[in-house]
Amino acid sequence: MDEHIEDHVSTTPSAVTPGTNFMIPLSIFASGVLIALAVMYSAGGTPRPQAGVAGVVEKVSNAGGMREVSETDDHILGDPAALVKLIEYSDLECPFCKKFHHEALAPLINEYVKAGTVAIVYRHLPLDSIHSKARKEAEATECANDLGGNAAFWAYVDKVFNETPSNNGLDLALLPVFAEGIGIDRARFEECLESGKYADRVERDQQDAIAAGAQGTPYSVVIASDGTKMIISGAQPYAAVKKIIEDALARK
């Protein structure tokens, strides 16, 4: 089993809050709760984030524009050969992403990832218009990966989600401290982060999210072994995620 799984995500699951919307206002009933939306942002014709919430599970998606999962290019938690993959598009300053990461993905890891049947793939979707710090935080995770490998990447993502109060509340001066705390040389990390060498990588992930049909964060695409894509939009509870995973595992 992947050595990077054991210590990933330790927060105890609790109630889930739906996610942040960024293309069109939505108003959706999810599990009997009306959830709503807010204001659109755009720049140069490219879809941009908007404050709001969304939550819906769609069994068959048209996320055909997303890039293929790559063992060498993606951040994968679990067995890269797992039957089912969940691609998580996330913003480190989004409170709904934080909840989904801890409350839905933690039990998913314990039940499926450690068993080798599901792998999680992390891709960046910083909502610049409302979370101006998220992009630099995303670059910081890439520097952690550069200097410490895949295990360091996931440990760093966990650390940011654990420590940030969300909604641009994290002091960016803590980013090198977090790196040092997981065993990365602070000076080398600061040099990497200040260079902006991973800005293009973060932007590529954001554009991939748009191509995949993302309308908010968190946004996840579950890929079954037969290639069927199913989307999980918003911070859905684990029961909803589990249902999609079971459906994906049954498609052989």
Side-chain angles (χ1 to χ4, degrees):
M1 182 52 52
D2 193 298
E3 64 181 6
H4 313 317
I5 298 172
E6 188 63 32
D7 296 328
H8 179 67
V9 185
S10 59
T11 302
T12 302
S14 58
V16 176
T17 305
T20 300
N21 182 16
F22 81 103
M23 286 179 65
I24 57 174
L26 296 176
S27 181
I28 302 170
F29 278 97
S31 303
V33 179
L34 180 63
I35 51 181
L37 66 63
V39 186
M40 181 181 291
Y41 294 80
S42 63
T46 301
R48 292 299 182 193
Q50 86 177 9
V53 292
V56 62
V57 175
E58 184 178 312
K59 286 193 174 181
V60 180
S61 83
N62 60 353
M66 65 185 295
R67 70 177 187 265
E68 296 292 324
V69 174
S70 166
E71 186 174 348
T72 58
D73 193 43
D74 272 308
H75 304 295
I76 302 175
L77 182 71
D79 184 354
L83 289 174
V84 170
K85 294 177 178 62
L86 183 150
I87 294 85
E88 172 194 8
Y89 293 95
S90 193
D91 173 323
L92 290 166
E93 281 298 307
C94 168
F96 309 112
C97 296
K98 178 174 179 171
K99 286 180 177 292
F100 184 71
H101 192 77
H102 289 318
E103 298 166 5
L105 296 189
L108 178 73
I109 289 166
N110 287 329
E111 187 170 356
Y112 294 99
V113 177
K114 289 180 179 180
T117 54
V118 176
I120 298 174
V121 179
Y122 189 99
R123 292 179 182 172
H124 306 289
L125 180 49
L127 307 184
D128 300 299
S129 297
I130 53 178
H131 300 144
S132 61
K133 295 181 179 180
R135 187 171 290 263
K136 184 54 68 174
E137 292 169 10
E139 291 179 37
T141 67
E142 294 297 333
C143 287
N145 180 77
D146 186 343
L147 299 171
N150 195 52
F153 173 85
W154 287 98
Y156 199 91
V157 168
D158 283 349
K159 185 65 175 176
V160 175
F161 272 135
N162 286 337
E163 298 297 331
T164 182
S166 298
N167 289 325
N168 256 18
L170 183 69
D171 182 355
L172 294 182
L174 291 173
L175 297 180
V177 178
F178 294 165
E180 193 170 32
I182 62 171
I184 293 173
D185 181 88
R186 179 167 180 160
R188 293 178 64 199
F189 177 86
E190 289 176 335
E191 181 181 1
C192 174
L193 190 59
E194 290 169 7
S195 74
K197 65 185 292 187
Y198 289 107
D200 287 346
R201 166 60 190 262
V202 174
E203 177 64 20
R204 181 165 66 100
D205 276 5
Q206 185 187 60
Q207 294 305 315
D208 182 62
I210 293 170
Q215 296 183 339
T217 57
Y219 179 80
S220 303
V221 179
V222 175
I223 305 178
S225 58
D226 68 352
T228 299
K229 295 183 177 70
M230 295 169 275
I231 65 171
I232 303 171
S233 180
Q236 292 295 315
Y238 180 57
V241 175
K242 179 179 173 68
K243 186 174 181 179
I244 288 289
I245 292 298
E246 288 293 336
D247 189 346
L249 287 169
R251 294 174 181 266
K252 298 180 181 179

